[in-house]
């Protein structure tokens, strides 16, 4: 009789996850449409699986699938919340021309404050990746295409930017760059055409590299 101890239990736990992993990735990808985000969800599922009370789980594949679905839905539901937290709910919606002067002034002020923080605390690459991700929900693959960066690096930039916004030191802001970014961002949110914003952000990164 083979003794069942911590080592055997860990092996069985890992084997159950590895066997189910392709299905879990497919589930996450179906909800998210982004391979990087799907992989993140699968990794979080593994962490939940490691911490789970095995005695309370009757069907391991069902538990893993249910956890993956729940985590994927959390990501989908938080995407819009991330945009609204970043700049406010109206800033990334196309302007229909019906907003009054008070509303327009509030919008402009919110953008002013957000852009100033980005310029004070982030590098051009961090700023560009974070803005495209948080304000417009760009997939990491699209961010990498726009900014000519590796997709994994784009994900790292967004993570680093979030940390620096919370704890990073402030730096002096170039007033011309500040005004230009505010205007380009507002134009993008009002028209829905992001080409100019994409070009501005990518050019800023290229210019800093060559400086």
């Amino acid at each position: 009789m083979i003794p069942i101890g911590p080592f055997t239990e860990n092996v069985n736990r890992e084997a159950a996850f590895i066997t189910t992993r392709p299905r879990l990735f497919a589930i996450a990808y179906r909800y998210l449409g982004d391979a990087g985000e799907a992989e993140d969800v699968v990794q979080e599922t593994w962490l939940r699986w490691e911490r789970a009370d095995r005695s309370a789980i009757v069907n391991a594949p069902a538990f893993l699938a249910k956890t993956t679905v729940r985590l994927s839905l959390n990501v989908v539901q938080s995407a819009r919340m991330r945009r609204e937290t970043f700049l406010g709910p109206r800033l990334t919606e196309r302007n229909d021309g019906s907003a009054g002067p008070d509303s327009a002034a509030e919008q402009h002020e919110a953008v002013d404050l957000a852009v100033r923080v980005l310029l004070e605390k982030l590098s051009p690459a961090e700023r560009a990746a974070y803005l495209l991700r948080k304000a417009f929900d760009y997939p990491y693959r699209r961010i990498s295409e726009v900014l000519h960066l590796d997709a994994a690096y784009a994900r790292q930039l967004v993570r680093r930017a979030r940390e620096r916004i919370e704890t990073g030191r402030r730096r002096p802001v170039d007033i011309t760059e500040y005004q230009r970014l505010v205007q380009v961002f507002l134009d993008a949110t009002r028209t829905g055409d992001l080409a100019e914003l994409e070009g501005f952000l990518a050019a800023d990164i290229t210019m800093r590299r060559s400086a």
Side-chain angles (χ1 to χ4, degrees), residues 71-91:
L71 292 172
S72 298
L73 287 174
N74 288 344
V75 173
V76 171
Q77 292 168 358
S78 68
R80 188 169 186 84
M81 187 181 300
R82 290 199 308 268
R83 288 196 305 169
E84 296 178 355
T85 301
F86 175 65
L87 289 173
R90 293 191 299 274
L91 297 187

Side-chain angles (χ1 to χ4, degrees), residues 117-118 120-127 130 153 156-171:
V117 170
L118 297 185
E120 286 176 340
K121 294 195 172 187
L122 305 181
S123 70
E126 292 167 347
R127 181 165 59 246
Y130 186 84
Y153 183 52
Q156 181 182 346
L157 286 171
V158 173
R159 186 181 304 113
R160 187 193 306 164
R162 183 169 58 247
E163 294 171 354
R164 290 189 175 178
I165 287 174
E166 295 175 355
T167 62
R169 298 174 56 187
R170 294 180 181 271
R171 294 170 295 197

